[in-house]
Amino acid sequence: MRRPGGWWRVKSTPEKVETYTRWSFHFFGVIEILALGVTAYGRTGVGLATALCLLVTAHAAVCMLVSARALDWTRGRRPQPVRQMWALVVVSAVVSTTAVVIAERGPSGEVETAAGSVYGGVLCYAAGVITLGVRGWRRRVAVVGGFAVGAGLLTFPLEMPLLASVVLAGLVMVTGGFLAVTSIFSLWLLNAVYALDDAKETRVRLAVAEERLRFGRDLHDVMGRNLAVIALKSELAVQLSRRGRPEAVEQMIEVQRIAQESQREVRDVVRGYREAALEVELAGARGVLSAAGIVSEVTGETAGLPAEVQSALGWVVREATTNVLRHGDAKKVAVTVRMSEGRVVLTVENDGVAETTGDGLPGSPGGTGGSGLSGLRERLSAVDGTLEAGPVGRGVFRLTAEVPLPAAAAGAALGVAS
């Protein structure tokens, strides 16, 4: 069963920012209802106050719908909500006109104040919300200016002084503009967060591509020269053989030697590509985590460890770092290497626990049989090592790998550590 709040922890950072932004827009609607609708009960009778509150509530609901659709449109998930925005314009006009009628024909007194608040308020909120569904500063300014002009024109049936109409139009312009700028800035911030997240993913893919290019260059350097020599010597052997020259045998022997040497060199290249040096992986993890904005802390000595032990533990660091970047939302990662009773213990701990994804690695805790853990256990089993992984506190995940050291290596490692 998912723990309370688990729906929030499984979200990535951009998804959390989007959820916060979406509900901030919805909260504007709640504020509209409280500030314009509920307060009407203290200014006029129950009947008119209820009518005004219902009108404001309907307007707020349409504003919430438009803001949600506009946010989806900004993220490219829906088409531009043109119909919904026109519906908001119509609803705003109806509510404003109704408020004007109530203020003009209703009982004199504070009902005019209540209706006037609804009249100006709904236009300000509508102007701020509709700007979410358009692009370009000119169009956004035109939207806010249009609502301000409309607010001034609708005051003529109330026989308000010209100065008062201008002041009201200016108030709608300023307040609606402030809401529009606030909403647009929220969208800009959300898009920036998604762009940064995409950049992080791109950086990871570029690192993989760079490693593949390096491997390809190494293979080209090894095989390109040798294959060229093999081709030349083979052609020479063919010519010598056609002429009945005994040197053809010597050339083919040389071709055989170069081919065997090429096999050995290719194995060396592949071995270097597949083996992970612990010190190199720790330095790489520190750099990648820092680039992703995650504080990394690496402690302990790796000198004196056998090559096979360093390779196995290097893979643990590599896989753990990759999974923290892909699945978790960590702010800090601590890597510790220590010697204990003839064993080397590697601990990777992060505070980015989300929810179980079945992988069983840091950043996706809870799993015990995922392919990530299985692959690491296979590598560690080759050096008689063990692996333990699981949450150790609220939001904290720890992976511990232990590998026994030969007596000579253990003594050397302890000597270096001391």
Side-chain angles (χ1 to χ4, degrees):
M1 179 180 296
R2 179 173 293 180
R3 293 172 296 179
W7 67 275
W8 177 259
R9 286 191 291 272
V10 300
K11 291 179 177 290
S12 63
T13 298
E15 290 173 343
K16 290 179 180 178
V17 176
E18 180 177 348
T19 301
Y20 170 79
T21 304
R22 188 180 299 274
W23 283 101
S24 296
F25 293 153
H26 293 338
F27 189 65
F28 285 162
V30 176
I31 294 177
E32 180 182 1
I33 295 173
L34 295 177
L36 303 179
V38 176
T39 56
Y41 284 95
R43 300 176 179 178
T44 185
V46 176
L48 287 176
T50 301
L52 290 173
C53 187
L54 290 176
L55 289 173
V56 171
T57 301
H59 184 267
V62 178
C63 286
M64 292 179 185
L65 175 62
V66 172
S67 63
R69 294 295 177 86
L71 182 58
D72 291 336
W73 169 65
T74 303
R75 296 304 310 153
R77 304 187 189 116
R78 289 178 181 269
Q80 186 178 16
V82 178
R83 293 182 179 179
Q84 289 82 1
M85 289 191 294
W86 278 112
L88 178 57
V89 172
V90 172
V91 172
S92 300
V94 170
V95 173
S96 299
T97 304
T98 305
V100 169
V101 172
I102 292 176
E104 184 179 16
R105 299 184 180 181
S108 61
E110 292 187 352
V111 64
E112 295 182 0
T113 304
S117 299
V118 172
Y119 168 73
V122 295
L123 294 178
C124 292
Y125 277 103
V129 170
I130 289 181
T131 54
L132 294 173
V134 296
R135 288 196 176 102
W137 285 103
R138 292 183 179 179
R139 294 180 179 179
R140 289 163 177 164
V141 171
V143 169
V144 177
F147 273 91
V149 172
L153 294 177
L154 285 176
T155 58
F156 285 103
L158 296 177
E159 298 181 354
M160 292 180 61
L162 179 61
L163 179 60
S165 299
V166 173
V167 170
L168 180 59
L171 181 63
V172 172
M173 172 70 82
V174 172
T175 307
F178 173 77
L179 291 176
V181 170
T182 303
S183 302
I184 294 168
F185 178 77
S186 298
L187 285 183
W188 174 85
L189 181 61
L190 175 62
N191 291 329
V193 171
Y194 269 106
L196 289 175
D197 187 68
D198 292 339
K200 183 175 71 173
E201 293 294 330
T202 301
R203 185 165 52 248
V204 173
R205 289 194 297 268
L206 287 176
V208 175
E210 184 178 357
E211 180 63 16
R212 289 175 177 172
L213 288 174
R214 184 195 67 80
F215 182 64
R217 287 195 303 268
D218 291 345
L219 280 180
H220 178 269
D221 293 340
V222 170
M223 297 300 297
R225 180 190 69 253
N226 292 348
L227 288 177
V229 175
I230 289 174
L232 289 174
K233 288 189 172 292
S234 299
E235 183 178 357
L236 178 58
V238 170
Q239 297 296 330
L240 292 174
S241 177
R242 287 176 177 174
R243 296 176 185 177
R245 301 284 296 274
E247 291 87 349
V249 177
E250 297 179 0
Q251 294 298 325
M252 291 307 299
I253 293 175
E254 184 66 13
V255 167
Q256 183 182 25
R257 185 191 64 79
I258 296 174
Q260 292 173 348
E261 182 180 351
S262 299
Q263 289 180 331
R264 179 183 57 78
E265 291 180 350
V266 169
R267 284 195 295 266
D268 292 340
V269 171
V270 173
R271 186 181 302 110
Y273 177 74
R274 297 186 62 182
E275 289 182 354
L278 180 57
E279 187 66 31
V280 175
E281 293 301 329
L282 290 175
R286 186 187 295 109
V288 172
L289 292 173
S290 299
I294 301 174
V295 178
S296 58
E297 181 179 321
V298 180
T299 58
E301 289 290 338
T302 61
L305 296 178
E308 62 274 11
V309 174
Q310 290 211 30
S311 178
L313 295 180
W315 273 103
V316 175
V317 174
R318 181 185 297 183
E319 294 291 338
T321 303
T322 301
N323 280 274
V324 167
L325 294 174
R326 286 181 177 176
H327 305 300
D329 190 21
K331 301 297 184 295
K332 181 178 179 180
V333 176
V335 182
T336 304
V337 181
R338 59 186 175 87
M339 310 297 171
S340 176
E341 300 179 355
R343 305 175 68 86
V344 56
V345 181
L346 170 68
T347 303
V348 183
E349 186 174 295
N350 76 92
D351 60 356
V353 167
E355 206 50 45
T356 300
T357 63
D359 189 82
L361 285 172
S364 56
T368 58
S371 59
L373 279 179
S374 299
L376 291 181
R377 286 198 173 99
E378 289 178 2
R379 295 182 182 276
L380 289 172
S381 64
V383 289
D384 298 327
T386 60
L387 183 70
E388 294 182 1
V392 294
R394 184 175 180 82
V396 179
F397 188 86
R398 179 184 298 163
L399 182 146
T400 303
E402 295 188 13
V403 179
L405 294 175
L414 290 174
V416 172
S418 61

